[in-house]
Amino acid sequence: MNEEFYHEPVLINETLKYLLDSGSKTGYTVYVDCTLGGGGYTKKILEESPEAKVIAIDRDVFAIKHCKKVLEKFAGRIIFVQGNFGNIKQIIKDAGFDKISGIVMDLGLSSYQLSSEAGFSYQKDTSLDMRADKDQKLTAKDILNRYDEKEIMRILYEYGELRYGRKIAQEIVHSRKNKKFETTFDLVGLLKNLVPARFLNSDLSKLFQAIRIEVNNELENLKRVIEDSVDTLEIGTKIAAISYHSLEDRIVKNGFRSDDRLKVITKKPVEPGEEEITVNIRARSAKLRVAEKI
Ligand SMILES: C[S@@+](CC[C@H](N)C(=O)[O-])C[C@H]1O[C@@H](n2cnc3c(N)ncnc32)[C@H](O)[C@@H]1O
């Protein structure tokens, strides 16, 4: 494992201000951090709420291993779970709780994953893997080398909102007849020949995002976690979600609004100030939404 696991948490003070201000009637206080990553959120919850425990979930085994080390002094107050937050109900049950006192999800990838793990970044030539959970079977290569053109086109339009989705899908299917897709630069090379240079970086981000969403079933998991976590929230406690692109934000917004067990607290999403964006470029697209169980 790379020891240089790093991630600068986004909107952490704003999120925890909402999350930690509700009392608990169950006799215990347990929060769920659905996206442990580098542990920034879990650590701050435990520091600010000395009575609390955290169920800390991540699909990525490296995140869990890293946090077991760096959060060692909180051992006994953290229940680590390597798993998919889409299974939140079962995870909470297995941890031995009926109700929880708040839930946070800081979506997407950690900076560590983007820079070190296979296939996530178009800036490095690595294997086209893109699995957040390496126990899972489906990889980006499977999609690029096996899915039919229509399926690829759907993914590019739905998950990447790519202008040239049809053309890119056609070219993927054409190109793999000569040589199968193996590394990220195979995909970068393909796009370079298809889109104007001024759009290349933004289209590469969208293309990688689209395939990553399919590999990790990200949007379905998000829908599930929002629906299912409301059942487990104690009345008067909150769910907070930080998203980084419009597809995620739409699911969070609609998930909160359409659930009559929730009252939306943030009428408009909370966004980072200039200062945070200057020191942490990843914060640029972040949107925080919070709802309360009523
Ligand atoms: C933006 S990072 C979280 C960073 C964290 N808040 C911190 O302070 O370091 C997102 C994390 O969520 C994890 N993740 C994404 N989707 C997941 C899912 N469906 N289930 C569990 N973990 C997931 C990723 O593996 C990644 O580590």
Side-chain angles (χ1 to χ4, degrees), residues 5 7-10 12 33-42 57-60 63 83-86 106-111 113 132 216-218 221-222 244 282:
F5 194 115
H7 181 84
E8 188 62 38
V10 175
I12 189 164
D33 180 354
C34 285
T35 51
L36 176 67
Y41 269 76
T42 288
I57 308 170
D58 206 292
R59 288 177 96 159
D60 190 334
N84 181 345
F85 61 52
D106 177 18
L107 299 163
L109 297 172
S110 64
S111 310
Q113 288 170 316
N216 297 297
N217 201 13
E218 292 181 14
N221 285 326
L222 182 55
Y244 295 88
R282 216 184 144 267

Side-chain angles (χ1 to χ4, degrees), residues 168-183:
I168 298 167
Q170 279 170 352
E171 201 47 38
I172 288 173
V173 171
H174 177 71
S175 163
R176 74 191 185 193
K177 287 184 187 141
N178 299 325
K179 185 182 171 290
K180 296 248 179 270
F181 286 91
E182 290 295 336
T183 75

Side-chain angles (χ1 to χ4, degrees), residues 214-227:
E214 174 71 11
V215 170
N216 297 297
N217 201 13
E218 292 181 14
L219 303 184
E220 282 311 310
N221 285 326
L222 182 55
K223 284 181 197 154
R224 260 176 70 196
V225 72
I226 292 176
E227 250 178 63

Side-chain angles (χ1 to χ4, degrees), residues 27-293:
Y28 59 80
T29 307
V30 61
Y31 295 100
V32 180
D33 180 354
C34 285
T35 51
L36 176 67
Y41 269 76
T42 288
K43 179 166 184 268
K44 193 137 171 109
I45 292 172
L46 292 167
E47 281 170 352
E48 302 221 340
S49 188
E51 305 299 314
K53 289 190 173 179
V54 173
I55 302 173
I57 308 170
D58 206 292
R59 288 177 96 159
D60 190 334
V61 68
F62 295 125
I64 300 283
K65 278 190 186 160
H66 166 78
C67 288
K68 278 188 175 165
K69 251 194 237 162
V70 296
L71 300 179
E72 207 179 349
K73 73 167 179 175
F74 297 104
R77 294 178 61 204
I78 311 179
I79 298 147
F80 290 102
V81 180
Q82 193 224 331
N84 181 345
F85 61 52
N87 301 325
I88 188 149
K89 264 194 186 167
Q90 191 60 41
I91 290 175
I92 292 170
K93 197 166 161 225
D94 291 347
F97 296 98
D98 287 333
K99 290 283 173 213
I100 53 164
S101 326
I103 175 163
V104 62
M105 54 195 91
D106 177 18
L107 299 163
L109 297 172
S110 64
S111 310
Y112 167 79
Q113 288 170 316
L114 272 170
S115 65
S116 323
E117 292 198 4
F120 288 127
S121 166
Y122 61 82
Q123 286 167 335
K124 274 171 66 176
D125 197 18
T126 56
S127 174
L128 274 165
D129 184 312
M130 294 199 196
R131 287 171 303 169
D133 173 358
K134 303 292 184 244
D135 290 335
Q136 176 194 300
K137 287 225 158 41
L138 183 74
T139 67
K141 271 188 224 176
D142 296 329
I143 292 169
L144 292 161
N145 292 324
R146 291 211 218 123
Y147 275 28
D148 69 23
E149 188 178 314
K150 228 167 120 193
E151 231 353 52
I152 295 178
M153 199 167 79
R154 179 191 66 77
I155 292 166
L156 301 187
Y157 277 126
E158 271 182 29
Y159 300 158
E161 300 177 316
L162 274 149
R163 270 169 297 219
Y164 307 100
R166 177 186 296 275
K167 184 98 198 84
I168 298 167
Q170 279 170 352
E171 201 47 38
I172 288 173
V173 171
H174 177 71
S175 163
R176 74 191 185 193
K177 287 184 187 141
N178 299 325
K179 185 182 171 290
K180 296 248 179 270
F181 286 91
E182 290 295 336
T183 75
T184 48
F185 279 11
D186 293 340
L187 207 50
V188 173
L190 177 128
L191 211 64
K192 263 188 187 160
N193 294 326
L194 287 180
V195 304
R198 66 181 189 287
F199 295 137
L200 185 63
N201 278 347
S202 83
D203 283 352
L204 276 169
S205 300
K206 291 178 185 171
L207 176 59
F208 274 64
Q209 171 187 300
I211 299 170
R212 193 193 91 203
I213 288 177
E214 174 71 11
V215 170
N216 297 297
N217 201 13
E218 292 181 14
L219 303 184
E220 282 311 310
N221 285 326
L222 182 55
K223 284 181 197 154
R224 260 176 70 196
V225 72
I226 292 176
E227 250 178 63
D228 286 359
S229 56
V230 183
D231 289 340
T232 60
L233 272 178
E234 202 186 328
I235 289 176
T237 67
K238 301 198 182 66
I239 173 168
I242 302 118
S243 61
Y244 295 88
H245 58 77
S246 56
L247 298 169
E248 281 172 348
D249 184 52
R250 207 174 302 149
I251 292 173
V252 174
K253 182 171 82 179
N254 294 338
F256 285 3
R257 276 191 188 162
S258 62
D259 194 321
D260 56 15
R261 297 166 299 170
L262 289 176
K263 178 173 94 186
V264 175
I265 303 289
T266 47
K267 299 290 173 230
K268 281 193 175 152
V270 178
E271 294 179 17
E274 281 304 315
E275 213 174 301
E276 181 166 6
I277 295 171
T278 312
V279 292
N280 186 3
I281 188 70
R282 216 184 144 267
R284 193 184 34 190
S285 52
K287 284 189 165 66
L288 162 68
R289 294 186 188 269
V290 183
E292 183 179 321
K293 171 98 174 255

